[in-house]
């Protein structure tokens, strides 16, 4: 291990990155339909050893060939959700919300058994997954957590949309969206990420779709399971869902939720700021790929007893 100390402990009013890896304290299941496939799925979260990361197992596909790592190299589609595929062609759709819940609540290692092709949508947010994680408990493992420490900016741009990593002394998000319609319009959220902020400010935000897009999505074989109980449906003049919005800027908060899930596919948390403008899953993944391909832009670090970050 290099002894090069490259950063001081973050400012005390910000969530301090945790030193140790964590896993679940027990086993817990949920069931529901997939947002896009409409298939009914049972999903069970299990603890996993240090350095395992997050691994899915499609139990309906046989144990030997059906492990899918929640890693960037396994991303196979980013059309209205993030899909993973392993080397044997076994796929899993819409992984981003459960991955966001695990990353947001500080779980590094877990094994997730799932008996169909898509993670259950539940209510379209991360709240049901957080409830599962809290019920199972989160336990510390005696192996240091590795972080991706951003040391130089990396930016990707597609038309007017862009996403950028930049150095910061903590983990921060700055996410903006702009739509032409009056219901969503322009929204921005900036926050320092830690479990408390994630649970309160991000997790309740549900996925959303514009009513005029839904027929087109269904013609593409998507949104078959989408309904008002798992998706905000935005009409020209308001929200179709009877209960309205949970938060007035729920859409951009959901974009931040998606970012957290997508960026967790790096296999380690980052210390730095992620800024995005009108970015979806494709741009989140493109930004992460650009970062990983630029070794000058990041260093892998662990935290020592004094809270200092040290290169590994
Ligand atoms: Zn989402």
């Amino acid at each position: 291990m290099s002894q090069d100390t490259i950063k001081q402990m973050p400012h005390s009013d910000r969530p301090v990155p945790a030193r140790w890896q964590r896993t679940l304290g027990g086993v817990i299941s949920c069931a529901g339909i997939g947002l896009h496939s409409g298939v009914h799925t049972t999903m069970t979260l299990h603890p996993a050893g240090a350095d395992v990361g997050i691994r899915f197992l499609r139990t309906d596909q046989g144990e030997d060939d059906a492990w899918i790592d929640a890693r960037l190299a396994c991303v196979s589609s980013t059309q209205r959700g993030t899909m993973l595929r392993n080397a044997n062609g076994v796929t899993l759709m819409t992984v981003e919300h459960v991955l966001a819940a695990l990353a947001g609540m500080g779980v590094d290692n877990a094994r997730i058994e799932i008996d169909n092709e898509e993670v259950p949508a539940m209510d379209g947010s991360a709240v049901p997954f957080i409830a599962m994680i809290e019920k199972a408990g989160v336990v510390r493992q005696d192996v240091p957590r590795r972080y991706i420490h951003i040391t130089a900016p990396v930016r990707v741009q597609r038309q007017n949309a862009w996403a950028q990593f930049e150095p910061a002394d903590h983990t921060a998000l700055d996410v903006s969206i702009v739509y032409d319609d009056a219901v969503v319009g322009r929204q921005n959220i900036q926050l320092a990420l830690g479990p408390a902020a994630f649970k309160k400010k991000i997790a309740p935000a549900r996925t959303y779709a514009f009513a005029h897009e839904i027929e087109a999505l269904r013609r593409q074989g998507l949104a078959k399971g989408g309904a008002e109980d798992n998706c905000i449906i935005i009409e020209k003049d308001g929200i179709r869902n009877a209960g309205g919005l949970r938060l007035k800027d729920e859409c951009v908060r959901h974009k931040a939720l998606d970012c957290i899930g997508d960026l967790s596919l790096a296999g380690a948390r980052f210390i730095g700021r992620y800024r995005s403008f009108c970015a979806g899953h494709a741009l989140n993944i493109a930004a992460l790929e650009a970062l990983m391909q630029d070794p000058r832009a990041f260093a892998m670090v662990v935290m020592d007893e004094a809270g200092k970050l040290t290169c590994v």
Side-chain angles (χ1 to χ4, degrees):
M1 181 185 296
S2 161
Q3 292 305 305
D4 300 340
T5 298
I6 59 173
K7 204 72 194 171
Q8 297 300 310
M9 196 167 180
H11 193 275
S12 60
D13 65 354
R14 293 183 176 130
V16 177
R19 184 177 177 207
W20 303 104
Q21 295 185 29
R22 286 172 167 74
T23 188
L24 299 166
V27 176
I28 191 151
S29 298
C30 69
I33 61 164
L35 183 69
H36 291 304
S37 62
V39 297
H40 188 270
T41 308
T42 298
M43 181 172 77
T44 305
L45 309 183
H46 298 258
D51 293 327
V52 166
I54 308 297
R55 301 195 81 197
F56 293 99
L57 176 64
R58 279 279 305 271
T59 56
D60 59 320
Q61 298 290 310
E63 179 116 2
D64 293 340
D65 303 329
W67 287 98
I68 309 173
D69 287 314
R71 297 300 295 265
L72 191 56
C74 295
V75 174
S76 64
S77 170
T78 50
Q79 191 188 12
R80 303 298 294 217
T82 300
M83 182 193 283
L84 303 177
R85 178 164 52 206
N86 72 8
N88 301 311
V90 178
T91 62
L92 185 62
M93 295 170 77
T94 321
V95 295
E96 59 271 20
H97 302 160
V98 70
L99 290 180
L102 291 163
M105 299 305 285
V107 178
D108 303 281
N109 303 301
R111 190 163 55 80
I112 304 175
E113 293 185 0
I114 187 155
D115 66 357
N116 213 318
E117 63 182 315
E118 187 172 13
V119 172
M122 310 308 285
D123 71 350
S125 80
V127 167
F129 301 132
I130 286 182
M132 294 170 71
I133 293 165
E134 289 187 328
K135 199 160 182 184
V138 177
V139 297
R140 201 187 95 171
Q141 297 170 295
D142 292 331
V143 177
R145 181 185 277 173
R146 287 172 169 230
Y147 286 91
I148 299 165
H149 184 228
I150 309 295
T151 52
V154 171
R155 181 182 174 97
V156 291
Q157 180 136 14
R158 288 183 184 167
Q159 288 92 40
N160 71 327
W162 54 264
Q164 176 166 314
F165 288 97
E166 54 193 43
D169 65 0
H170 61 296
T171 306
L173 284 181
D174 179 345
V175 178
S176 297
I177 52 173
V178 179
Y179 291 99
D180 290 335
D181 80 313
V183 178
V184 182
R186 176 179 289 265
Q187 299 182 1
N188 169 263
I189 185 162
Q190 299 174 27
L191 81 162
L193 259 187
F198 175 77
K199 185 178 172 184
K200 183 175 175 200
K201 297 180 179 177
I202 302 297
R206 295 163 293 172
T207 194
Y208 60 94
F210 290 88
H212 65 82
E213 296 177 315
I214 290 174
E215 274 316 306
L217 285 171
R218 291 198 171 136
R219 280 196 298 275
Q220 296 170 58
L222 298 171
K224 289 182 199 162
E228 287 176 47
D229 61 357
N230 61 21
C231 183
I232 302 166
I233 298 172
I234 302 161
E235 308 269 17
K236 269 197 171 62
D237 53 357
I239 303 297
R240 184 187 295 174
N241 307 58
L245 293 172
R246 291 177 177 175
L247 305 147
K248 72 174 171 28
D249 56 355
E250 190 167 351
C251 293
V252 77
R253 288 173 193 254
H254 187 80
K255 282 284 185 186
L257 172 62
D258 285 341
C259 280
I260 295 163
D262 287 342
L263 298 183
S264 76
L265 292 165
R269 288 137 217 283
F270 64 94
I271 296 175
R273 180 173 289 102
Y274 183 70
R275 297 172 61 208
S276 72
F277 179 79
C278 294
H281 299 291
L283 212 49
N284 291 338
I285 296 302
L288 202 49
E289 285 173 339
L291 176 70
M292 293 292 114
Q293 287 163 12
D294 187 352
R296 297 164 308 168
F298 71 94
M300 299 304 298
V301 299
V302 294
M303 183 175 295
D304 70 15
E305 284 175 15
K308 290 181 178 172
L309 302 181
T310 304
C311 290
V312 289

